[in-house]
Amino acid sequence: MADREYPAGKTTAIAELADEFSSATATVLTEYRGLTVAELRELRRSLGEGTRYRVAKNTLAKRAANQAGVTGLDDLFTGPTAITFIEGDPVEAAKGLRAFAKSHDALVIKGGFMEGKALSVDEINKLADLESREVLLAKLAGALKATAQKAVAVVAAPAGQVARLGAALQDKKAAAGE
């Protein structure tokens, strides 16, 4: 893209968008044609904290993405585009977008970007199929706790066997000495 001079307001908008692209852990591009203002408000609320849903001009958003080093999205900047900037758990945001798109046909997920890689719609749907970070951490904690309990049982078992053997020998000596 050639270095083009933009008016001060557009230059500021590009810088703000570039900052958002840079600070986001993931971004998802959507087409929102046909959604009402009330539905957009509902969508923003459903995405939760740490996620911003922002309508942007394609030329400015494309320029900002390139400035931020976000590549592979140029073809997605067509039609009315809104960008979901995710700073928290990308799984939760992907779940929220997919659920909203299922109940509102006007919202179309175009693709996204995460960890230096452009994401297809299928990859975003796979991301939405994952369990949230909190659920995965809880499962890991449960597995670690169960493993620790098993380790204690394995370590304690020989000591218990020795104690029972000692008791049996004492009983045998006592019976033999009678």
Side-chain angles (χ1 to χ4, degrees):
M1 189 179 282
D3 283 345
R4 182 175 149 199
E5 289 295 319
Y6 286 97
K10 289 186 179 181
T11 302
T12 302
I14 291 170
E16 288 174 1
L17 283 168
D19 284 346
E20 290 195 79
F21 273 112
S22 295
S23 66
T25 54
T27 57
V28 178
L29 277 64
T30 61
E31 182 173 315
Y32 63 93
R33 180 182 292 141
L35 289 176
T36 65
V37 172
E39 289 170 330
L40 285 172
R41 192 177 315 117
E42 178 187 344
L43 171 58
R44 284 182 174 107
R45 282 192 201 125
S46 73
L47 294 175
E49 283 187 45
T51 303
R52 290 174 313 284
Y53 189 77
R54 182 170 176 180
V55 173
K57 287 186 163 281
N58 288 324
T59 54
L60 302 181
K62 188 186 297 188
R63 177 79 176 222
N66 288 330
Q67 274 186 16
V70 174
T71 58
L73 301 180
D74 287 355
D75 294 342
L76 303 179
F77 290 110
T78 58
T81 302
I83 307 161
T84 308
F85 294 103
I86 306 161
E87 288 187 8
D89 186 2
V91 172
E92 287 303 312
K95 286 178 186 292
L97 283 168
R98 185 174 65 179
F100 195 88
K102 280 184 179 178
S103 61
H104 299 83
D105 292 337
L107 182 72
V108 177
I109 298 172
K110 296 180 177 185
F113 189 85
M114 186 172 82
E115 296 179 353
K117 178 182 177 289
L119 300 175
S120 68
V121 175
D122 286 340
E123 289 171 316
I124 292 169
N125 284 327
K126 286 178 185 173
L127 188 62
D129 288 337
L130 294 174
E131 292 179 342
S132 72
R133 182 176 187 272
E134 289 76 21
V135 170
L136 291 174
L137 287 173
K139 284 185 175 183
L140 177 63
L144 290 174
K145 181 179 177 188
T147 302
Q149 288 173 339
K150 286 179 187 174
V152 167
V154 167
V155 170
Q161 289 173 342
V162 169
R164 283 191 295 279
L165 179 62
L169 286 174
Q170 266 186 333
D171 291 346
K172 188 174 181 180
K173 270 187 179 180
E178 290 181 351

